Amino acid sequence: MNRHTLVATIPQAFVKLDPRHLFRSPVIFVVWVGSLCTTVLSVLHPSTFAISITVWLWITVLFANYAEAVAEGRGKAQAATLRKARKETVARRLLPDGSTETVAGSGLRIGDRVIVEAGEVIPGDGDVVDGVATVDESAITGESAPVIRESGGDRCAVTGGTTVLSDRIVVQVATKPGETFLDRMISLVEGASRQKTPNEIALNILLVVLTLIFLVTVMAIQPLAAYSGREQSIIVLVALLVCLIPTTIGALLSAIGIAGMDRLVQHNVLAMSGRSVEAAGDVSTLLLDKTGTITLGNRHATEIVTVGRATNTELAHAAYLASLADGTPEGRSIVDLTRTHLSDQDAVSAERLTAEGAQFIDFSAATRMSGVDLPSGVQIRKGATTSVSQWVLEGGARVPAALQQVVDHIGQSGGTPLVVARRDGDGPTVVLGVVHLKDVVKQGMRKRFRELRAMGIRTVMITGDNPLTAAAIAKEAGVDDFLAEATPEDKMALIKKEQEGGRLVAMMGDGTNDAPALAQADVGVAMNTGTSAAKEAGNMVDLDSDPTKLIEVVAIGKQLLITRGALTTFSIANDVAKYFAIIPAMFLAVFPGLNSINVMRLHSPQSAMLSAVIFNALIIVALIPLALKGVRYRPVGAGAMLRRNLLIYGLGGVIAPFVGIKLIDLFISHLPGLG
């Protein structure tokens, strides 16, 4: 964070002195109340000690506010950059009769269709329903390279505020004005929508309980002190209370949570809630959709393989007919491939057949087939081997034995086989052959999955492909397990089964059929390239659409939990050391036996008390960088991590006050009124 931002957040520390804000942090609110009391007493009975204690108590509150303001400042700086990307646009809304009207982008509603051409800004979040174009998404992702967005498939989602660089697309709006992805991102990174997580709430309750315990303890000291003839002033009791309650973690708790969300944004991941960030730190199973997540997703038809007595022309003609209305990238690639096997006359004849009342059957996750029913009674289907084979059997025909050999060969090579079959009205049903779709595993996947395994996370690839194809891709990518021929119901069942075992599950996907699973998972990470439905269902969105980004997400989640635990340990250990500094100084004159625990040998009771209060304030500022950056996470076992943190932050929390308070005491001991 630059110096200008650090200075710019100082006024916010004073603004946050508002008791309505401080009341949300009970520990710091107690310090604020104590500061008010000592201020009044300092005015009524001024002394060097009273004024010094009062000043440093107010500084403690300001430092706590400053820690939160600095964390929020980083988010607000990012939000300001995003606001520059948000532009008020004029949209060309498509009317039912095919004409267009010009409207303001803020006037669009869900379901409206708008035309966006090269050089124009996309007016709102939605899905491409017609056309293909290159889009500049640098305002959102920070990447200067343009991306392809096209109708059909899982790369149809577009974000409002991005710019079309080439061609023309029709976008169907999927969000209301003011609720776009960019609007939500701005709100989240500046902290406006951050809610306390369950762990944070539990820790707050613990801090409140500790504060109440110390409050009762300090109140009980006065009667004992009066009985022993060493009655203490209210200022001393307030200072003692502030030094004993966990002010360090109380001051930094909010900053830790804000910084955790901010670190995710720096990795181009948008978390919809702090709960999901914490859950990511405890994830033990990761489910990944294959197409578009592990693989590049743009599968292309590379060859057609006939079965039985079918000819290349017959197979190409049937696949061409069945794919003419298929707007997915795979469908278009089949059209392009099969067109090369047909004469111009055959292609024209096929197009004429589809124009004469043909009924196209869209692909669905349930049937896992698509095709066309021609007016002549001919039915053509293409799809997964098991689904098409079942369709053939229902037609009273046999599935050729050679089909399985072709399918196995394609599957073993890592490709996806699409079986094509034809039913001639009341005539026979025949399997014509297989279209070979080739998919490519994204670069570096094996190494990244190895890192996940080292973190104790089991990876499972989910795909609609047959088991052989799935096994080949799983082996190439390096995942631990796979679920083949999966339907949305299968994905949900697998997640629930994992969760029943007490494990937290993360799901990564990009398609509409992934949405139910993303919503069920403890951590649902949607690819930014995916559909609007997937992004709405997930509780995180990866702007880079990198499936292995979960490594960073898990590391940040673990880092958030570790940082909170480490600083809590440090804060409580601090209290132990401050007890040894203050209590002997308060009662040594009355109870000489306390000299045995007066290991610090401070100058005087007043200097001891003031030194402890000053250290209490300064340690907050010293720990702000650690709260914002986070404790370094290493993929080691929980036992080793606990021992390391206890050694560094537990033992360190005990030693630091002894050293710090003694040095401060040596520095202030010459001040008048502290003798």
Side-chain angles (χ1 to χ4, degrees):
M1 200 168 184
N2 59 49
R3 183 179 300 176
H4 172 74
T5 307
L6 290 173
V7 174
T9 54
I10 292 176
Q12 283 298 313
F14 289 89
V15 172
K16 290 177 181 292
L17 288 174
D18 185 339
R20 291 170 297 182
H21 172 80
L22 290 171
F23 190 75
R24 291 180 291 177
S25 177
V27 177
I28 302 304
F29 182 71
V30 169
V31 180
W32 180 84
V33 172
S35 303
L36 283 180
C37 293
T38 58
T39 301
V40 173
L41 293 172
S42 298
V43 172
L44 295 176
H45 308 287
S47 67
T48 301
F49 175 71
I51 293 172
S52 298
I53 289 290
T54 299
V55 169
W56 280 101
L57 288 181
W58 281 116
I59 290 175
T60 301
V61 178
L62 287 172
F63 282 170
N65 290 345
Y66 185 64
E68 184 177 11
V70 169
E72 290 178 350
R74 298 204 304 183
K76 288 177 180 178
Q78 292 174 330
T81 302
L82 291 170
R83 281 195 178 94
K84 293 178 182 177
R86 184 171 59 184
K87 304 172 184 177
E88 182 58 37
T89 57
V90 175
R92 286 187 291 153
R93 182 160 56 192
L94 194 61
L95 299 176
D97 60 3
S99 61
T100 61
E101 64 174 350
T102 302
V103 297
S106 57
L108 294 173
R109 296 293 179 266
I110 295 176
D112 285 349
R113 295 192 174 194
V114 294
I115 297 174
V116 190
E117 296 184 340
E120 295 179 350
V121 176
I122 297 172
D125 295 358
D127 296 315
V128 179
V129 294
D130 185 38
V132 57
T134 54
V135 179
D136 176 12
E137 293 187 342
S138 58
I140 305 296
T141 65
E143 296 293 333
S144 57
V147 295
I148 302 294
R149 292 291 177 263
E150 56 190 346
S151 61
D154 295 336
R155 295 180 179 270
C156 61
V158 290
T159 305
T162 56
T163 305
V164 173
L165 299 179
S166 69
D167 303 295
R168 170 188 180 276
I169 54 176
V170 176
V171 176
Q172 181 167 302
V173 178
T175 58
K176 299 177 182 178
E179 297 180 6
T180 65
F181 185 72
L182 194 57
D183 290 317
R184 285 184 294 158
M185 190 173 179
I186 291 170
S187 178
L188 286 162
V189 298
E190 68 182 359
S193 295
R194 199 188 83 87
Q195 296 180 340
K196 289 184 178 180
T197 64
N199 284 344
E200 199 171 348
I201 292 171
L203 183 54
N204 255 318
I205 293 172
L206 173 63
L207 298 183
V208 169
V209 171
L210 289 175
T211 301
L212 289 174
I213 291 173
F214 283 119
L215 179 60
V216 172
T217 302
V218 170
M219 290 173 64
I221 285 177
Q222 188 69 321
L224 296 174
Y227 177 77
S228 61
R230 189 73 176 180
E231 188 171 347
Q232 303 294 322
S233 68
I234 299 298
I235 289 180
V236 169
L237 294 175
V238 169
L240 174 63
L241 175 63
V242 170
C243 289
L244 293 184
I245 63 177
T247 50
T248 306
I249 186 61
L252 298 174
L253 188 58
S254 181
I256 293 169
I258 295 171
M261 300 279 283
D262 177 65
R263 283 194 293 274
L264 270 183
V265 174
Q266 290 176 359
H267 283 82
N268 266 5
V269 177
L270 178 61
M272 303 304 177
S273 68
R275 182 193 296 264
S276 61
V277 182
E278 287 187 353
D282 291 325
V283 161
S284 56
T285 304
L286 169 62
L287 310 182
L288 303 103
D289 178 52
K290 187 205 78 172
T291 305
T293 305
I294 292 178
T295 61
L296 292 177
N298 286 331
R299 296 183 298 181
H300 290 279
T302 57
E303 65 173 331
I304 56 174
V305 182
T306 58
V307 173
R309 298 180 179 180
T311 65
N312 265 8
T313 301
E314 283 182 300
L315 174 57
H317 189 265
Y320 185 79
L321 282 170
S323 304
L324 278 175
D326 189 345
T328 65
E330 291 88 348
R332 286 195 287 268
S333 73
I334 293 173
V335 170
D336 293 339
L337 174 67
T338 54
R339 180 67 179 80
T340 62
H341 291 267
L342 300 175
S343 65
D344 291 340
Q345 184 177 355
D346 288 336
V348 170
S349 173
E351 291 169 8
R352 186 183 300 117
L353 284 172
T354 59
E356 295 175 352
Q359 181 180 356
F360 289 96
I361 311 299
D362 294 331
F363 177 86
S364 73
T367 63
R368 300 175 63 240
M369 290 190 305
S370 62
V372 61
D373 292 343
L374 300 176
S376 61
V378 173
Q379 297 177 316
I380 301 173
R381 296 292 184 269
K382 65 179 174 68
T385 305
T386 54
S387 298
V388 176
S389 296
Q390 182 63 33
W391 185 77
V392 170
L393 293 173
E394 290 172 356
R398 296 176 58 188
V399 177
L403 174 65
Q404 194 60 45
Q405 296 176 0
V406 174
V407 167
D408 289 349
H409 176 73
I410 293 174
Q412 288 168 357
S413 70
T416 300
L418 283 184
V419 179
V420 181
R422 184 183 65 210
R423 182 179 297 164
D424 295 325
D426 296 330
T429 302
V430 58
V431 175
L432 300 175
V434 182
V435 178
H436 183 179
L437 294 177
K438 183 65 177 175
D439 210 346
V440 180
V441 174
K442 291 182 177 178
Q443 190 173 5
M445 295 299 293
R446 177 174 286 275
K447 177 184 176 183
R448 300 290 271 173
F449 286 136
R450 190 163 54 243
E451 292 176 28
L452 284 168
R453 199 173 296 112
M455 296 168 74
I457 298 174
R458 173 172 165 264
T459 54
V460 181
M461 182 186 78
I462 300 176
T463 176
D465 292 336
N466 65 68
L468 282 174
T469 301
I473 295 292
K475 182 179 179 180
E476 184 180 352
V479 296
D480 297 317
D481 201 357
F482 65 88
L483 177 66
E485 297 182 340
T487 64
E489 292 78 14
D490 293 333
K491 298 178 187 179
M492 289 282 287
L494 179 59
I495 292 175
K496 289 178 180 178
K497 180 181 177 182
E498 293 285 335
Q499 290 172 331
E500 286 172 0
R503 292 178 287 271
L504 293 187
V505 178
M507 167 74 186
M508 301 192 77
D510 60 354
T512 300
N513 64 341
D514 295 323
L518 288 169
Q520 176 67 33
D522 300 287
V523 181
V525 185
M527 304 289 102
N528 190 43
T529 56
T531 61
S532 297
K535 290 194 283 188
E536 287 292 332
N539 48 31
M540 290 188 188
V541 177
D542 176 19
L543 302 179
D544 295 330
S545 299
D546 177 5
T548 62
K549 184 70 68 67
L550 194 76
I551 294 174
E552 282 78 19
V553 173
V554 169
I556 290 170
K558 289 182 180 295
Q559 188 180 44
L560 174 63
L561 297 173
I562 293 169
T563 302
R564 191 180 292 151
L567 292 184
T568 301
T569 303
F570 185 89
S571 179
I572 294 174
N574 259 246
D575 296 338
V576 175
K578 284 181 282 189
Y579 172 86
F580 282 95
I582 298 171
I583 297 299
M586 289 175 63
F587 297 105
L588 187 59
V590 180
F591 303 106
L594 290 175
N595 191 56
S596 60
I597 62 172
N598 186 23
V599 296
M600 301 182 71
R601 309 295 176 185
L602 301 178
H603 178 68
S604 68
Q606 289 83 4
S607 70
M609 190 68 65
L610 181 58
S611 298
V613 171
I614 293 173
F615 176 84
N616 199 58
L618 294 180
I619 198 65
I620 294 173
V621 176
L623 292 175
I624 288 177
L626 182 61
L628 297 181
K629 186 178 180 180
V631 175
R632 184 180 177 186
Y633 166 71
R634 295 186 179 127
V636 296
M641 190 180 302
L642 178 62
R643 288 192 297 271
R644 175 177 174 271
N645 286 342
L646 285 176
L647 180 65
I648 296 175
Y649 299 100
L651 186 59
V654 172
I655 295 174
F658 281 100
V659 177
I661 292 173
K662 182 63 178 179
L663 291 175
I664 295 171
D665 180 74
L666 292 173
F667 183 77
I668 67 171
S669 59
H670 67 280
L671 294 177
L674 297 179

